Amino acid sequence: MRFLLDDEQREFARSLDALLTAADTPAVVRGWAAGDHAPGLTLWRRLADAGVFALAVPEAYGGVGPLPVETAVAFVELGRHGVPGPLVESVAAGVLLGGVGGPAAKEWLPRIASGTAVVSLALEGYGPYALDADVADAVLTVTGDELRLTRGAGGATGPGAPTGPGAATGPGAASGPGVPTGPGGSTGRPAPTGPGAPTVSVDPARRLFRPEPGGEVVAAGPGVREAARAAGTWATFATAAQALGCGEALLRATVAYVKQRTQFGVPVGSFQAVKHRLADTLLGLEFARPLLYGAAVELADGAPGAGAAVAAAKVAAGEAGYAAARTALQLHGAVGYTEELDLAWWLRRARPLRDAWGTPSACRARVLAG
């Protein structure tokens, strides 16, 4: 079976590619890793304007979703350009809140869809960390049948925060109702606090935090567990798309490099061993692509096997992306290690994307379980 995008979906991919190319994402990634979130959050707003965060939010809450195929299209581009931030987590949070409904959904889903809120997420079975919790307006956690929400200090730096001279932009800054806005101002109400220091990650632009204990219980019951299962599946799916895009970017950069680097008077890309390595890398990525879009179709149809299809796509895309990173590192030689080269940020991201929201072993087990 062939999975072909329609004209509208291809145009969506082209528009995102143009937007992200113009945004100088390598500089955004470097800033994000250093704790300067302002450029990344500016890009977040632009992605929201393009409709990215509305794709998984139900129409009843201001979204256009769920649209799995369009989500795959978007996240392949986000992975290709290395966009930082809790992108997957915000989309999965939309699925989670849409599943449980209630006041929390009414408050947060329109904000997620419009990009005025950054939300991170931690679910049982997917590791103990919430990505970029220091910049999030809210962190959602699910334990058993309880959904808890911790309001963060992200309002100080989030997409709806003030900008310009004097605006607070640091991770511990606060803004909004009840927070001092002038020199010496005080309201007598405590400012939000951050989640503490991040855990060291292979990718410095993936800032991992353990969610703060406690938080407000916003939903409870068996429906929470079911919604969390759906959110986890969507997070796995979006991460698979990111991994595929990351691998494509690595392969593209490597092909360009071996055409330029010469040895014995000819480009190293003309050597048969190099050609075979690049061909194997391309095959891995191209075999992963139909699995990803096949999983998107099953998600859209609500098929019983959608979870297993997503897991298969995650294994294929994650392994292909990581193989592309190893190929890129070998064929770039010593220059591939240098942080000055933008390629280094994609190299560091491939391994975490392979393991995030479903390790290869966990996903293989899910496939075998059917």
Side-chain angles (χ1 to χ4, degrees):
M1 183 181 294
R2 298 181 67 191
F3 299 96
L4 298 177
L5 301 177
D6 61 30
D7 291 341
E8 187 174 342
Q9 291 162 344
R10 287 194 293 270
E11 181 56 35
F12 182 43
R14 285 192 291 267
S15 66
L16 287 177
D17 179 50
L19 185 159
L20 294 170
T21 299
D24 188 13
T25 50
V28 173
V29 174
R30 291 176 188 277
W32 194 275
D36 178 11
H37 297 127
L41 293 171
T42 298
L43 180 56
W44 188 283
R45 288 191 294 271
R46 297 183 66 188
L47 290 171
D49 291 341
V52 170
F53 301 116
L55 294 173
V57 174
E59 292 184 14
Y61 296 99
V64 296
L67 295 174
V69 176
E70 286 75 8
T71 299
V73 170
F75 275 81
V76 168
E77 293 302 323
L78 295 174
R80 194 196 323 272
H81 289 272
V83 180
L87 303 157
V88 167
E89 289 71 16
S90 285
V91 168
V95 175
L96 175 61
L97 290 171
V100 300
K106 292 179 180 179
E107 177 183 0
W108 289 97
L109 284 177
R111 297 180 63 190
I112 291 173
S114 65
T116 56
V118 177
V119 178
S120 193
L121 175 67
L123 298 177
E124 284 185 314
Y126 292 99
Y129 301 109
L131 183 67
D132 296 312
D134 60 332
V135 77
D137 296 279
V139 177
L140 299 174
T141 57
V142 175
T143 305
D145 291 341
E146 283 191 343
L147 169 60
R148 292 179 178 269
L149 183 149
T150 301
R151 297 176 188 270
T157 56
T163 57
T169 58
S175 65
V179 178
T181 56
S186 176
T187 64
R189 296 170 64 182
T193 58
T199 299
V200 176
S201 171
V202 172
D203 178 4
R206 288 180 59 85
R207 299 163 59 82
L208 305 175
F209 295 84
R210 289 186 178 271
E212 295 181 86
E216 174 190 359
V217 177
V218 295
V224 170
R225 193 181 294 272
E226 184 61 30
R229 186 177 298 112
T233 298
W234 271 75
T236 302
F237 171 68
T239 306
Q242 276 190 314
L244 178 60
C246 180
E248 290 178 347
L250 286 162
L251 178 60
R252 183 181 301 176
T254 306
V255 170
Y257 180 75
V258 299
K259 288 179 179 180
Q260 297 173 356
R261 182 185 173 192
T262 60
Q263 193 172 27
F264 307 116
V266 296
V268 296
S270 65
F271 300 154
Q272 189 176 55
V274 172
K275 290 180 179 179
H276 285 182
R277 184 68 183 267
L278 292 170
D280 288 342
T281 301
L282 177 62
L283 283 175
L285 294 169
E286 290 304 316
F287 273 112
R289 191 185 313 280
L291 288 175
L292 177 68
Y293 286 110
V297 171
E298 294 212 24
L299 276 176
D301 293 341
V310 167
K314 178 60 162 54
V315 170
E319 295 285 20
Y322 184 48
R326 296 176 65 182
T327 297
L329 183 61
Q330 180 178 1
L331 297 186
H332 275 80
V335 71
Y337 286 94
T338 61
E339 289 192 5
E340 291 77 14
L341 190 69
D342 290 340
L343 180 83
W345 296 95
W346 278 257
L347 287 172
R348 290 181 172 187
R349 181 156 299 182
R351 177 69 178 269
L353 287 178
R354 187 194 73 168
D355 295 340
W357 292 106
T359 63
S361 60
C363 287
R364 288 189 176 98
R366 179 69 182 88
V367 172
L368 291 174

